[in-house]
Amino acid sequence: MSKKNTKDITTSQLLTLIKKSNDFSEVTETYHDLEEEPLFCHFLYSTMLKHGKTAIDVITESGIERSYFYHVLSGQKSPGRNMVLRISLCLSATLAETNQLLRLARQGALYPRVKRDAAIIFAIEKNYTMQQANDLLIQEGETPLYKENREKE
């Protein structure tokens, strides 16, 4: 039997390997062939390029403090969930891109069974601006992405 390409290994197969291995080095050999997960800052930058947005565009549209955003973009800081959502909405990112940004920032992906997340998913799917998404959250009695008196840079 030929050795399976480890790039094609499923998560359940990887879990089985971990459970059945006698030595962790058997497991780590598998990881050498797996694709590395991109860093949040790299995926953010590529998403910005894809959507034709600059750092200044995102800063201006999101109201995120300039130096903080540049620290996020350089990988020096990891943003919280609301910051990722604000950035994503300003980029007009797809739901898949938004969930990837959330996952790479170690924040939970949007979950449709949670009313707040459902409202955000709705806003993303309807191409709402960040302001429209925030208004929807307030209208639904959910925690907004930012306070109404946010300062613009």
Side-chain angles (χ1 to χ4, degrees), residues 32-51:
H32 291 291
D33 294 331
L34 292 176
E35 288 184 29
E36 282 190 39
E37 183 174 74
L39 295 174
F40 173 84
C41 57
H42 296 159
F43 188 75
L44 172 58
Y45 186 73
S46 67
T47 305
M48 288 168 57
L49 287 176
K50 178 181 173 186
H51 291 278

Side-chain angles (χ1 to χ4, degrees), residues 2 6 10 27 36 39 42 44 52 59 61 66 91 136 153:
S2 65
T6 53
T10 65
V27 177
E36 282 190 39
L39 295 174
H42 296 159
L44 172 58
I59 290 164
E61 293 175 32
R66 182 183 171 154
L91 293 175
L136 176 63
E153 290 285 332

Side-chain angles (χ1 to χ4, degrees), residues 90-114:
C90 289
L91 293 175
S92 300
T94 65
L95 180 58
E97 290 167 337
T98 300
N99 278 331
Q100 178 72 342
L101 285 166
L102 286 165
R103 192 174 64 75
L104 292 173
R106 307 271 188 253
Q107 304 296 326
L110 292 168
Y111 185 58
R113 290 187 180 264
V114 174

Side-chain angles (χ1 to χ4, degrees), residues 19-98:
K19 288 179 177 180
K20 292 186 176 186
S21 294
N22 293 324
D23 190 320
F24 192 67
S25 64
E26 296 171 21
V27 177
T28 57
E29 288 175 16
T30 304
Y31 283 92
H32 291 291
D33 294 331
L34 292 176
E35 288 184 29
E36 282 190 39
E37 183 174 74
L39 295 174
F40 173 84
C41 57
H42 296 159
F43 188 75
L44 172 58
Y45 186 73
S46 67
T47 305
M48 288 168 57
L49 287 176
K50 178 181 173 186
H51 291 278
K53 298 283 186 165
T54 65
I56 296 299
D57 295 334
V58 176
I59 290 164
T60 302
E61 293 175 32
S62 68
I64 296 172
E65 198 270 318
R66 182 183 171 154
S67 64
Y68 177 81
F69 183 76
Y70 280 111
H71 285 177
V72 167
L73 193 56
S74 70
Q76 294 174 340
K77 291 196 181 226
S78 184
R81 195 165 197 263
N82 281 343
M83 283 294 180
V84 173
L85 292 169
R86 287 168 64 176
I87 291 166
S88 178
L89 285 160
C90 289
L91 293 175
S92 300
T94 65
L95 180 58
E97 290 167 337
T98 300

Side-chain angles (χ1 to χ4, degrees), residues 96-143:
E97 290 167 337
T98 300
N99 278 331
Q100 178 72 342
L101 285 166
L102 286 165
R103 192 174 64 75
L104 292 173
R106 307 271 188 253
Q107 304 296 326
L110 292 168
Y111 185 58
R113 290 187 180 264
V114 174
K115 184 180 176 189
R116 181 177 192 263
D117 285 3
I120 294 168
I121 292 168
F122 180 85
I124 291 168
E125 291 297 315
K126 301 300 180 195
N127 293 316
Y128 278 22
T129 64
M130 187 186 66
Q131 177 67 49
Q132 290 171 315
N134 205 53
D135 291 345
L136 176 63
L137 290 171
I138 292 168
Q139 173 188 323
E140 292 300 317
E142 296 296 324
T143 305

